């Protein structure tokens, strides 16, 4: 069976459940004179002979996520020499020196993936580009042998949206940060933190960049090459190599995964962020289906943790939160028998309910109705 530990259903597998199902089909790229095209009926992705994404069209709206005259999935190498605190600081003057890694050692199609191999300095990287059937996320995976000194490797996505802010995921929610540099404190945020995703958007169209292994980002607003206006450049800080305190920092092999989510609203960004960080696992099981531990009927209410109570009672503790920044009413239902549900604090002590409206017995378990404020975090105890 294939087990989905993420809080959202995917590929026919319920959230927090498992079924005997094949992996999702991938779309094979078709060759044309300029490179290759992935088309799954949801998005159309064009990859050129440099192994770069030059177009990512949302077929429902016709919008291209990639800014004209640019390429997404571009690796950029910077000289990285902080004034002090080598391993902790990134100084803005790193931007003064940059090399676009566009040279290709090998470019080929393997099955449904485009494989790009590059060498730079003393390092090498193998990149794979793929698109699942029915998905709006183009997947980029990197196997990197990093052997550089005082260098910073960035991954750039020039996104064709005009916006003054970028939305970055933090634990149990997200925040907006300015992409302009109108003030000194705006300029000081040349490198910012995000967890699983960053999203830039206009009111009717957005693009998210999700990742499984990095927190450093920079998001800037630059002039559009055609037609005036501005575009947003989202870059991830993949890896760097300071001299102090460890002169061999991060030398060796690394594997990273990144996804470009075309036409993404905040719900898509949250869902795809969990998807890339909690991949489906395949295990041997006696049954063809394992019911989800819990189900929730609102896509913006996310079950973040399920555990046994610390007091050894056998009760089940569930922590969830509202992820979209809106008020939400949701019903959480267990698949295991329970005699009641109470709200607790982080130490699992019962507290007066702040979100719990009512509870009742369900067919095989127990349900709890909740009213949540934007980004509210709730801990519940299911008594067994």
């Amino acid at each position: 069976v294939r087990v989905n530990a993420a809080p959202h259903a995917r590929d026919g597998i319920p959230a927090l459940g498992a079924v005997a199902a094949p992996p999702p089909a991938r779309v094979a790229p078709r060759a044309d004179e300029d490179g290759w095209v992935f088309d799954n009926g949801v998005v159309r992705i064009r990859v050129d002979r440099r192994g770069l994404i030059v177009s990512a069209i949302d077929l429902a709206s016709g919008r291209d996520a990639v800014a004209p005259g640019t390429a997404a999935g571009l690796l950029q190498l910077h000289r990285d020499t902080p004034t002090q605190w080598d391993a902790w600081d990134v100084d803005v003057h790193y931007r003064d020196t940059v090399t676009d890694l566009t040279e290709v050692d090998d470019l080929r199609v393997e099955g449904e993936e485009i494989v790009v191999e590059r060498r730079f300095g003393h390092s090498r990287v193998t990149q794979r580009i793929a698109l699942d059937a029915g998905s709006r996320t183009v997947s980029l995976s990197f196997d990197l042998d990093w052997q550089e000194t005082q260098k910073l490797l960035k991954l750039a996505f020039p996104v064709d949206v005009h916006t003054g802010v970028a939305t970055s995921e933090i634990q149990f929610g997200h925040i907006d940060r300015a992409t302009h540099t109108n003030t000194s404190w705006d300029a000081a945020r040349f490198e910012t933190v995000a967890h699983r995703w960053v999203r830039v958007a206009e009111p009717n169209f957005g693009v998210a960049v999700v990742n499984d292994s990095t927190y450093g980002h920079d998001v800037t607003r630059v002039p559009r090459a055609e037609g005036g206006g501005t575009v947003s450049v989202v870059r991830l800080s993949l890896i760097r190599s300071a001299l102090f305190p460890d002169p061999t920092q991060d030398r060796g092999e690394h594997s990273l995964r990144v996804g470009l989510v075309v036409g993404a609203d905040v719900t898509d960004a949250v869902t795809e962020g969990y998807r890339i960080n909690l991949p489906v696992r395949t295990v041997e099981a006696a049954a063809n289906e394992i019911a989800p531990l819990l189900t929730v009927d609102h896509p913006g209410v996310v079950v973040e943790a399920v555990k046994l109570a610390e007091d050894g009672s056998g009760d089940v503790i569930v922590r969830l939160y509202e992820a979209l920044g809106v008020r939400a009413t949701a019903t959480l239902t267990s698949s295991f028998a329970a005699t009641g549900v109470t709200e607790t604090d982080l130490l699992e002590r019962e507290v007066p309910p702040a979100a719990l409206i009512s509870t009742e017995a369900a067919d095989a378990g127990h349900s709890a109705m909740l009213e949540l404020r934007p980004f509210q975090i709730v801990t519940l105890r299911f008594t067994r």
Side-chain angles (χ1 to χ4, degrees):
V1 299
R2 302 180 69 237
V3 181
N4 176 20
H8 307 94
R10 57 177 163 180
D11 307 331
I13 311 172
L16 306 175
V19 296
R26 281 190 159 171
V27 177
R30 69 171 189 268
D32 66 14
E33 59 184 9
D34 299 320
W36 295 269
V37 175
F38 293 97
D39 191 332
N40 64 1
V42 179
V43 295
R44 182 182 300 123
I45 311 297
R46 185 175 295 276
V47 179
D48 69 7
R49 296 290 175 179
R50 301 171 297 171
L52 301 175
I53 300 170
V54 292
S55 179
I57 297 175
D58 173 31
L59 295 178
S61 66
R63 286 283 300 266
D64 193 342
V66 180
T70 68
L74 172 65
L75 291 167
Q76 296 181 304
L77 191 65
H78 292 270
R79 184 170 179 264
D80 181 27
T81 54
T83 304
Q84 55 183 345
W85 318 121
D86 279 19
W88 291 269
D89 278 0
V90 176
D91 287 349
V92 70
H93 59 68
Y94 81 85
R95 293 180 175 174
D96 295 341
T97 306
V98 60
T99 301
D100 292 344
L101 303 180
T102 58
E103 297 297 320
V104 175
D105 273 15
D106 188 29
L107 182 61
R108 62 188 184 274
V109 174
E110 288 185 358
E112 290 80 37
E113 297 179 327
I114 297 174
V115 182
V116 190
E117 294 185 2
R118 308 184 198 275
R119 293 183 182 273
F120 56 94
H122 301 287
S123 304
R124 57 178 175 80
V125 60
T126 300
Q127 176 184 348
R128 297 177 181 271
I129 307 171
L131 178 67
D132 285 348
S135 174
R136 59 178 60 255
T137 302
V138 55
S139 170
L140 296 84
S141 61
F142 300 87
D143 291 314
L144 174 65
D145 183 6
W146 178 255
Q147 301 294 339
E148 304 305 304
T149 300
Q150 293 187 306
K151 296 290 194 301
L152 168 63
L153 185 65
K154 289 269 191 176
L155 178 64
F157 294 89
V159 178
D160 194 11
V161 300
H162 167 80
T163 180
V165 298
T167 304
S168 301
E169 192 201 36
I170 59 175
Q171 189 175 26
F172 302 120
H174 57 263
I175 59 173
D176 291 336
R177 296 190 181 98
T179 60
H180 55 70
T181 54
N182 291 348
T183 67
S184 59
W185 49 93
D186 291 334
R189 289 194 287 255
F190 59 87
E191 182 83 2
T192 58
V193 65
H195 282 187
R196 287 169 283 226
W197 55 268
V198 168
R199 177 177 178 265
V200 289
E202 295 172 2
N204 60 350
F205 183 77
V207 177
V209 178
V210 298
N211 80 91
D212 75 338
S213 55
T214 186
Y215 295 104
H217 297 75
D218 69 274
V219 186
T220 53
R221 192 167 66 176
V222 300
R224 195 171 188 267
E226 301 174 9
T230 65
V231 299
S232 304
V233 181
V234 179
R235 299 199 307 164
L236 293 81
S237 299
L238 299 185
I239 196 166
R240 57 195 300 255
S241 48
L243 288 177
F244 179 82
D246 178 6
T248 65
Q249 174 189 327
D250 287 349
R251 294 265 180 102
E253 296 185 353
H254 302 262
S255 294
L256 330 154
R257 292 192 303 152
V258 177
L260 178 67
V261 192
V262 182
D265 58 20
V266 175
T267 303
D268 294 324
V270 172
T271 301
E272 293 300 315
Y274 273 100
R275 176 190 291 261
I276 199 171
N277 280 272
L278 291 172
V280 168
R281 289 174 287 173
T282 302
V283 300
E284 297 291 332
N288 289 331
E289 182 174 351
I290 300 171
L293 286 174
L294 301 137
T295 57
V296 61
D297 63 358
H298 193 296
V301 177
V302 174
V303 175
E304 174 68 17
V306 183
K307 62 183 287 291
L308 291 176
E310 292 295 317
D311 60 11
S313 63
D315 291 353
V316 175
I317 302 297
V318 180
R319 184 159 298 124
L320 51 84
Y321 71 102
E322 196 291 313
L324 307 183
V326 299
R327 292 181 181 265
T329 300
T331 299
L332 178 73
T333 305
S334 72
S335 65
F336 51 85
T339 58
V341 184
T342 55
E343 198 165 329
T344 75
D345 61 14
L346 294 180
L347 296 179
E348 303 175 10
R349 301 171 300 193
E350 185 172 351
V351 296
L356 185 62
I357 302 172
S358 63
T359 70
E360 62 180 20
D363 290 342
H366 215 86
S367 68
M369 179 172 284
L370 306 165
E371 281 188 354
L372 295 100
R373 302 184 309 276
F375 303 131
Q376 184 175 359
I377 306 167
V378 179
T379 304
L380 302 174
R381 176 191 285 262
F382 282 78
T383 305
R384 297 175 68 202

